[in-house]
Amino acid sequence: MTFGTAVRGAASVSHPVKAEGSEKANPVLEVRNLVVEFDTDDGRLRALDGVSFSIGRGEVLGVVGESGAGKSLTGMSVSRMIQPPGHIAGGEVLLAGKRIDQLPPREMRQIRGKRIGMIFQDPMTSLNPLFTVGDQLAETMRVHLSISRRAAWQRAIELLDEVGVPSPADRVNAYPHELSGGMRQRVVIALAMCAEPELIIADEPTTALDVAVQAQILDLLARICDEHGTSMMLVTHDMGVIADIANRVAVMYAGRIVEIGTCDEVTNAASHPYSQGLMGAIPTLEDRNEPLLQIPGSMPRLSAIPRGCSFNPRCGQAFQRCTIERPSLLYADGRQVACHLYDSVTGDEPT
Ligand code: SF4
């Protein structure tokens, strides 16, 4: 397993106060029972199996899990960027109450640039090396907003300033290769923000950066969400990142969500044995001399998802039922958990 370098309890990001989640009242994003499958030589493989969650206005939902859990695929599915042979085989995705999972590709492209901003691990995924950052920002604004060339250029300079690019009136003329990795990621954040989207999907946005720069970028993302009321789905394998800026956390395993709760609940008192294993693998300042927990084994291949609870071969608390029956994601102690250990205390959504 590879986990992040951030140390739980260390002073890192001085982000704005985390807003309480408002996902139930007026969700910006709702994902209902999402199923994604891949047609392969080995047959049809299910990569996402009934994923459901919502994100409220201004809320940051962290999506965590080991490599292969399905967290990046969930982000790609919401933004409809899955490439064949992958496809959405079931479920619904709603943006501000309207379904977007069945829109024609042209309409979806409009939504991606305007209402959903994307930030990837490698800034060069989003930047064109042949154009200046100003050209790219201004062009993106002109595609999605009714704005003059001159106003778009001026707004590009303001956006670069807002995301902390020094000397923005000069840097607006720079090509991506003339900027550091951290500066490029700031430009990508400006690109994602330039049409004032309701939702940002950030997939490992700090993984490729130095630790010091990581903290600055997280700080920036948290501030932007707070100031603009933008919601964010933050996909990461790094629990330190989650602890820094997420309001709620969804833990994924083998294509399913196994636990969703507030950041405090999941990082400090995880319920699901897999979440407990993930959190036990984060070093803390208090326990720096204690050995870190390790989850034995590895994530199953899509073609070999175990029967029953897919975590059962790695779970120290598994019992017979776990090898037969797949647990549902049910409410327990105010959060949602998919584990037979909580069957006696789980139920439907509290009213
Ligand atoms: Fe472990 Fe069983 Fe819970 Fe799965 S359902 S996490 S195997 S105790």
Side-chain angles (χ1 to χ4, degrees):
M1 285 189 300
T2 309
F3 293 111
T5 51
V7 176
R8 198 151 45 120
S12 50
V13 176
S14 57
H15 57 78
V17 175
K18 293 177 184 177
E20 281 306 313
S22 56
E23 81 285 1
K24 281 185 193 161
N26 228 344
V28 167
L29 178 70
E30 264 184 288
V31 175
R32 298 177 183 161
N33 210 20
L34 186 65
V35 176
V36 170
E37 293 178 337
F38 284 77
D39 290 324
T40 73
D41 292 342
D42 295 332
R44 184 163 287 181
L45 302 178
R46 186 162 283 198
L48 293 184
D49 190 4
V51 169
S52 300
F53 63 90
S54 58
I55 305 180
R57 182 172 158 76
E59 184 180 45
V60 178
L61 176 74
V63 181
V64 299
E66 294 164 284
S67 177
K71 49 194 194 304
S72 290
L73 190 59
T74 302
M76 301 291 268
S77 306
V78 167
S79 57
R80 291 263 302 281
M81 292 175 73
I82 312 176
Q83 299 295 325
H87 60 276
I88 294 178
E92 299 179 353
V93 178
L94 294 90
L95 185 65
K98 298 243 167 63
R99 277 187 79 169
I100 60 170
D101 53 286
Q102 295 179 324
L103 289 178
R106 194 161 164 276
E107 278 183 52
M108 197 58 214
R109 269 198 300 278
Q110 282 286 327
I111 285 185
R112 263 203 300 277
K114 184 165 168 48
R115 299 180 61 194
I116 301 178
M118 307 289 296
I119 301 170
F120 297 102
Q121 176 176 336
D122 178 1
M124 293 312 287
T125 305
S126 308
L127 296 174
N128 187 326
L130 301 177
F131 293 93
T132 66
V133 297
D135 285 335
Q136 296 181 58
L137 285 164
E139 177 60 20
T140 304
M141 276 183 260
R142 282 176 56 72
V143 166
H144 295 295
L145 307 172
S146 120
I147 187 169
S148 71
R149 192 173 296 277
R150 178 191 284 263
W153 191 261
Q154 187 53 41
R155 179 72 186 127
I157 295 171
E158 290 167 9
L159 269 172
L160 289 179
D161 189 36
E162 187 177 346
V163 299
V165 172
S167 308
D170 294 332
R171 296 290 174 87
V172 77
N173 293 305
Y175 288 88
H177 74 268
E178 296 175 311
L179 302 174
S180 67
M183 284 300 148
R184 279 185 216 148
Q185 200 60 307
R186 287 177 190 272
V187 172
V188 170
I189 293 170
L191 259 181
M193 289 302 298
C194 67
E196 290 277 337
E198 292 137 87
L199 174 71
I200 285 182
I201 298 176
D203 191 345
E204 305 279 6
T206 59
T207 303
L209 305 173
D210 294 343
V211 172
V213 181
Q214 284 182 5
Q216 294 167 10
I217 296 294
L218 284 178
D219 197 13
L220 173 63
L221 286 171
R223 180 168 59 77
I224 278 178
C225 286
D226 190 59
E227 291 177 359
H228 293 254
T230 313
S231 309
M232 182 159 62
M233 176 179 168
L234 175 63
V235 172
T236 180
H237 68 285
D238 189 329
M239 303 307 147
V241 167
I242 289 295
D244 276 335
I245 73 168
N247 303 110
R248 287 185 306 133
V249 179
V251 180
M252 291 195 73
Y253 188 82
R256 306 187 92 211
I257 290 177
V258 296
E259 180 165 0
I260 305 185
T262 65
C263 185
D264 188 43
E265 283 167 348
V266 177
T267 55
N268 293 321
S271 292
H272 194 281
Y274 177 63
S275 314
Q276 290 168 356
L278 284 185
M279 303 313 151
I282 312 173
T284 64
L285 287 180
E286 301 79 40
D287 305 328
R288 68 175 81 185
N289 295 322
E290 296 290 321
L292 298 179
L293 293 179
Q294 286 285 332
I295 306 173
S298 56
M299 184 78 61
R301 293 193 312 277
L302 289 184
S303 57
I305 305 279
R307 186 167 168 240
C309 172
S310 51
F311 186 57
N312 84 72
R314 304 175 71 187
C315 181
Q317 300 178 71
F319 52 105
Q320 194 187 12
R321 185 178 172 195
C322 305
T323 61
I324 302 166
E325 193 182 325
R326 179 155 292 192
S328 301
L329 190 64
L330 296 172
Y331 277 86
D333 296 334
R335 71 186 81 174
Q336 288 172 282
V337 187
C339 173
H340 292 312
L341 290 174
Y342 299 92
D343 279 359
S344 59
V345 290
T346 54
D348 294 331
E349 181 174 0
T351 52

